[in-house]
Amino acid sequence: MLIKGGNANSAVTQVLRDVYALKKPYGVLYKKKNITRPFEDQTSLEFFSKKSDCSLFMFGSHNKKRPNNLVIGRMYDYHVLDMIELGIEKFVSLKDIKNSKCPEGTKPMLIFAGNDFDVTEDYRRLKSLLIDFFRGPTVSNIRLAGLEYVLHFTALNGKIYFRSYKLLLKKSGCRTPRIELEEMGPSLDLVLRRTHLASDDLYKLSMKMPKALKPKKKKNISHDTFGTTYGRIHMQKQDLSKLQTRKMKGLKKRPVERITEDLERKSKRIKKN
Amino acid sequence: MEGQSVEELLAKAERDEADKLQRITVHKELELEFDLGNLLASDRNPPTGLRRGEPPPEAELRALARDNTQLLINQLWQLPTERVEEALVARLPEPTTRLPREKPVPRPRPLTRWQQFARLKGIRPKKKTNLVWDEVSGQWRRRWGYQRARDDTKEWLIEVPGSADPLEDQFAKRIQAKKERVAKNELNRLRNLARAHKSRLPSSAGMHPTGHQSKQELGRALQVARVSTASVGRFQERLPKEKAPRGSGKKRKFQPLFGDFAAEKKSQLEMLRLMNSKKPQLDVTRAANKQMREEDQEEAAKRRKMSQKGKRKGGRQGPGGRRKGGPPPSQGGKRKGGLGGKMNSGPPGWGGKRKGGQHQGGKKRK
């Protein structure tokens, strides 16, 4: 859901249009301007999300205090879960870069660089939000030749550099190809402004997975403290006399010995009886 | 010589291999974290080459991106692949990053009828063995399914029980019984499902989807249909043998047995007083309503007679003067207390309905 604020300028509008182009079949871009302030009043956003059944949104606006503002957020049960405000410092749009673009609806690859993404809670939520936003639909198989583009986020000096590249697979002699990148899509330099993150328990509630989706524990496998994996195998009862072992030719009984053994066994039986 | 050239060849081959691998290997201090289900890679290395006060040049960002992407692609190419319609397709694992859900977890479904019963009685599911000993074939067979242990569909001989009709087809009977059991099972399953989704359909108005309904249910459905007209069933005619339903009138409300003692005392004393008094008691409104109803009925009867006679005699006027003006000379009893004003209750449209130009003066008593 891509919404324009009451005072969105051309740069912000272009950003929204580019993101819409990236997310083509799964996004909805509202043409009209909506005079709301997401950080003060969330009811209109929730209403929109209920009507269009979208839970991810991006809201663009511009004013003197916060120029080129972009609010990216997600919903849980049609109520706002997280909202992060980002300021756009530099923007190069899709049409400014004269290259061939990739077809719509391809699943992008996401790469996050920089250790800032794990340091603060804000950045961690931002990372999870960006993953949620830009990853495509979940698929179980993917055509290897169909991996077309990469979105690369670098966190550096308090800024986040968002670049998108088209992938070129070159021959490398072995099976895995060599990658060459070509700048394709929108590139943004973002700075983190305000955040409205969900409280811990709401976040925990939203992460709750139903029992069916929980990863199934494998039975009969255990690990010990040293890292060794132990497994348990259940076998049927075996007839050990018919067990197939290695045949040592040297230990084979010679016919003379076998006859004597038989005689001994017979005599034992007679004795018992 | 030859030995040397063989060695040289081997060395050259090795160098070539190394070169090839070099083209795709990337050296990083910290390994990247991969989530292949989401096609995601996280690089934890601090970008040392770029750590300056100014924004990094595009070329450096691109080089970093290229390295990271190469590593991700290497990982992806190691996944198990299969060939689907002349394209090479890799099977992705499940995504490992936990992301919050869009909608809340669905609520647990309500228990089915059997589950409720079992819970009540404390019945627990009995663990059954997978295989059952089959005498006929002399082996262990599964409990149900293909080649099951006691399969009665494969019997070639069924004894006719003593109580049954000798000409009945026992095989067909068995098949029919099975079909009925399956249908009943299916019905119960659908009912459980409907209960789980709370989809009660009021539009079917008491009619059962399968048609098996009891007499009472049908009667109730019929009554509901009758009453669902614009005039709440007042002008619905009954079928020739249809009986009026029992208990469809106004429900009488009774006072509770142990209630207000003061009110009870008061009502009992009032009743005694009425019984002892000599004068008969009169409820004015009830009397008036009763009178009005009697008059309406008489008039309706008259109208019917008039219309019949009119049809037979072809338009001649019926008995003239006897127009309903005042009250018929009536019985005593319930007439006390100023009923005059209320007796002018003849139907106002009566005059207008008369045929011909009959003199409308008549005995119109005001």
Side-chain angles (χ1 to χ4, degrees):
Chain A
M1 204 167 48
L2 299 156
I3 313 172
K4 289 200 286 194
N7 44 11
N9 61 355
S10 62
V12 160
T13 323
Q14 192 57 42
V15 170
L16 289 175
R17 265 205 227 120
D18 282 353
V19 172
Y20 176 62
L22 276 180
K23 294 208 71 172
K24 222 4 169 350
Y26 299 106
V28 51
L29 174 70
Y30 289 137
K31 293 215 170 103
K32 292 223 175 103
K33 295 191 175 178
N34 298 294
I35 306 175
T36 44
R37 277 173 243 245
F39 275 84
E40 272 115 54
D41 175 33
Q42 284 126 28
T43 42
S44 64
L45 281 175
E46 290 174 5
F47 173 75
F48 282 138
S49 110
K50 213 176 241 177
K51 284 290 169 177
S52 63
D53 195 22
C54 295
S55 59
L56 294 162
F57 67 90
M58 227 187 202
F59 179 89
S61 65
H62 172 85
N63 45 18
K64 209 158 161 193
K65 191 171 175 192
R66 288 174 234 278
N68 296 332
N69 210 15
L70 196 69
V71 178
I72 180 168
R74 64 183 155 201
M75 310 258 188
Y76 170 70
D77 195 20
Y78 305 122
H79 293 294
V80 167
L81 183 66
D82 286 340
M83 273 197 301
I84 297 182
E85 193 175 52
L86 300 161
I88 305 169
E89 306 218 318
K90 193 178 81 123
F91 168 57
V92 181
S93 130
L94 266 173
K95 48 187 186 133
D96 290 342
I97 303 177
K98 311 254 183 304
N99 284 342
S100 61
K101 314 288 182 226
C102 66
E104 291 166 7
T106 43
K107 195 169 158 80
M109 290 188 278
L110 303 162
I111 304 186
F112 288 82
N115 56 352
D116 282 347
F117 276 119
D118 296 306
V119 170
T120 30
E121 181 63 31
D122 281 354
Y123 271 91
R124 255 177 277 153
R125 287 285 180 94
L126 177 64
K127 181 178 173 186
S128 133
L129 189 56
L130 290 169
I131 295 173
D132 219 351
F133 205 92
F134 286 108
R135 69 165 178 169
T138 318
V139 286
S140 61
N141 295 340
I142 189 158
R143 194 169 140 251
L144 287 176
L147 292 166
E148 303 254 342
Y149 72 109
V150 185
L151 302 172
H152 192 263
F153 299 88
T154 322
L156 190 64
N157 299 338
K159 289 213 197 133
I160 299 160
Y161 300 98
F162 166 54
R163 301 280 179 273
S164 33
Y165 301 103
K166 192 169 145 83
L167 214 65
L168 300 165
L169 304 166
K170 296 268 163 67
K171 277 211 177 139
S172 79
C174 53
R175 197 167 154 255
T176 323
R178 184 176 161 83
I179 301 295
E180 292 297 330
L181 296 178
E182 197 187 322
E183 177 113 25
M184 163 195 86
S187 73
L188 300 162
D189 289 356
L190 304 163
V191 70
L192 193 68
R193 286 183 190 157
R194 292 183 289 182
T195 59
H196 176 271
L197 302 177
S199 58
D200 274 340
D201 42 348
L202 183 60
Y203 196 65
K204 241 188 192 171
L205 188 68
S206 69
M207 298 279 261
K208 228 180 182 181
M209 277 206 280
K211 238 181 183 176
L213 287 181
K214 281 202 186 126
K216 271 197 121 168
K217 219 182 125 169
K218 276 197 150 166
K219 280 178 153 179
N220 291 328
I221 295 179
S222 60
H223 303 265
D224 72 351
T225 46
F226 296 108
T228 329
T229 314
Y230 291 98
R232 206 181 200 138
I233 311 174
H234 298 265
M235 298 273 305
Q236 292 167 337
K237 202 158 185 181
Q238 285 177 312
D239 187 5
L240 292 170
S241 61
K242 298 220 175 73
L243 206 61
Q244 178 88 308
T245 50
R246 287 179 73 176
K247 295 190 182 14
M248 305 282 191
K249 220 165 173 187
L251 303 173
K252 207 164 152 187
K253 283 202 173 77
R254 272 182 281 143
V256 183
E257 289 178 346
R258 217 182 292 149
I259 291 169
T260 46
E261 227 191 62
D262 279 345
L263 283 173
E264 276 181 20
R265 232 185 279 157
K266 273 190 193 158
S267 59
K268 273 191 199 161
R269 249 184 269 150
I270 292 166
K271 269 192 197 167
K272 277 189 187 170
N273 291 348
Chain B
M1 288 190 324
E2 273 182 20
Q4 269 186 341
S5 60
V6 165
E7 275 176 15
E8 270 173 43
L9 277 172
L10 282 172
K12 190 158 168 276
E14 246 188 74
R15 256 179 285 135
D16 281 342
E17 277 287 327
D19 278 337
K20 280 183 208 166
L21 281 174
Q22 215 173 41
R23 300 191 73 194
I24 60 164
T25 47
V26 175
H27 174 70
K28 289 269 180 182
E29 285 168 8
L30 265 174
E31 282 296 315
L32 303 200
E33 282 180 5
F34 297 102
D35 175 9
L36 294 173
N38 278 328
L39 298 180
L40 174 72
S42 308
D43 182 11
R44 291 261 167 77
N45 296 305
T48 47
L50 313 169
R51 193 165 280 280
R52 289 166 218 144
E54 14 147 307
E58 284 299 322
E60 293 211 20
L61 280 177
R62 188 194 276 210
L64 179 65
R66 197 220 78 82
D67 289 341
N68 287 337
T69 322
Q70 182 73 61
L71 286 167
L72 181 60
I73 290 283
N74 290 352
Q75 284 292 317
L76 282 171
W77 248 254
Q78 281 169 14
L79 288 173
T81 61
E82 48 199 38
R83 194 154 272 275
V84 171
E85 289 175 15
E86 112 249 329
L88 199 63
V89 162
R91 170 159 299 225
L92 291 176
E94 290 285 319
T96 52
T97 349
R98 274 187 72 183
L99 291 165
R101 288 174 64 95
E102 263 191 56
K103 310 222 167 102
V105 176
R107 266 167 307 190
R109 280 176 220 158
L111 296 174
T112 61
R113 266 181 75 96
W114 165 253
Q115 280 173 336
Q116 285 169 5
F117 179 73
R119 194 167 272 212
L120 202 65
K121 292 276 187 172
I123 303 173
R124 276 182 163 205
K126 248 189 262 178
K127 182 86 181 167
K128 296 196 176 124
T129 57
N130 285 344
L131 303 171
V132 182
W133 177 250
D134 185 23
E135 277 299 334
V136 171
S137 59
Q139 20 165 278
W140 288 92
R141 286 222 175 143
R142 45 190 107 178
R143 199 178 276 278
W144 57 271
Y146 180 63
Q147 285 174 353
R148 66 194 94 137
R150 295 164 205 137
D151 192 355
D152 61 349
T153 53
K154 299 274 191 298
E155 269 184 38
W156 54 271
L157 179 86
I158 304 179
E159 287 178 10
V160 176
S163 56
D165 177 16
L167 294 171
E168 201 182 5
D169 185 0
Q170 294 295 325
F171 293 100
K173 191 164 149 202
R174 207 172 252 192
I175 295 171
Q176 194 61 32
K178 168 97 180 163
K179 282 196 185 151
E180 278 178 17
R181 270 180 277 139
V182 168
K184 174 174 170 279
N185 214 346
E186 184 65 22
L187 179 69
N188 283 332
R189 183 183 79 85
L190 289 174
R191 253 200 250 156
N192 279 330
L193 210 64
R195 201 179 306 120
H197 291 197
K198 291 252 188 313
S199 62
R200 230 169 281 126
L201 303 157
S203 60
S204 54
M207 297 302 289
H208 218 262
T210 54
H212 294 299
Q213 235 170 325
S214 70
K215 198 170 163 185
Q216 285 85 14
E217 282 181 28
L218 277 173
R220 247 180 283 146
L222 195 65
Q223 193 57 27
V224 169
R226 160 185 285 282
V227 173
S228 53
T229 54
S231 20
V232 203
R234 257 196 82 172
F235 305 112
Q236 289 299 110
E237 277 150 11
R238 291 205 175 271
L239 294 172
K241 289 212 179 143
E242 199 185 339
K243 281 180 244 168
R246 299 185 54 225
S248 67
K250 223 191 237 180
K251 196 171 176 179
R252 286 178 66 188
K253 288 212 159 108
F254 296 104
Q255 297 297 321
L257 284 176
F258 309 101
D260 194 357
F261 288 119
E264 199 181 330
K265 185 173 166 191
K266 200 161 134 209
S267 68
Q268 300 273 10
L269 287 172
E270 183 71 25
M271 204 185 299
L272 279 173
R273 186 183 68 84
L274 286 176
M275 291 198 311
N276 284 338
S277 79
K278 302 285 185 316
K279 288 194 251 176
Q281 301 296 320
L282 175 67
D283 185 4
V284 175
T285 18
R286 277 190 80 176
N289 286 338
K290 199 163 182 177
Q291 190 62 34
M292 286 187 349
R293 222 196 337 249
E294 276 179 15
E295 283 167 16
D296 282 342
Q297 282 171 352
E298 277 177 32
E299 235 168 280
K302 201 140 292 155
R303 232 187 294 159
R304 247 180 268 129
K305 244 194 280 174
M306 291 292 193
S307 65
Q308 276 181 356
K309 280 197 186 157
K311 275 187 206 153
R312 269 191 236 139
K313 294 187 183 170
R316 226 194 280 177
Q317 291 118 5
R322 187 32 184 132
R323 277 191 66 224
K324 185 177 173 329
S330 89
Q331 316 70 3
K334 299 211 173 181
R335 294 306 228 77
K336 274 194 195 172
L339 295 173
K342 291 207 176 124
M343 284 302 109
N344 204 13
S345 57
W350 178 234
K353 281 188 186 152
R354 288 282 289 202
K355 284 193 205 167
Q358 220 225 341
H359 172 52
Q360 306 249 332
K363 289 186 190 154
K364 216 190 247 179
R365 219 194 288 169
K366 281 271 185 238

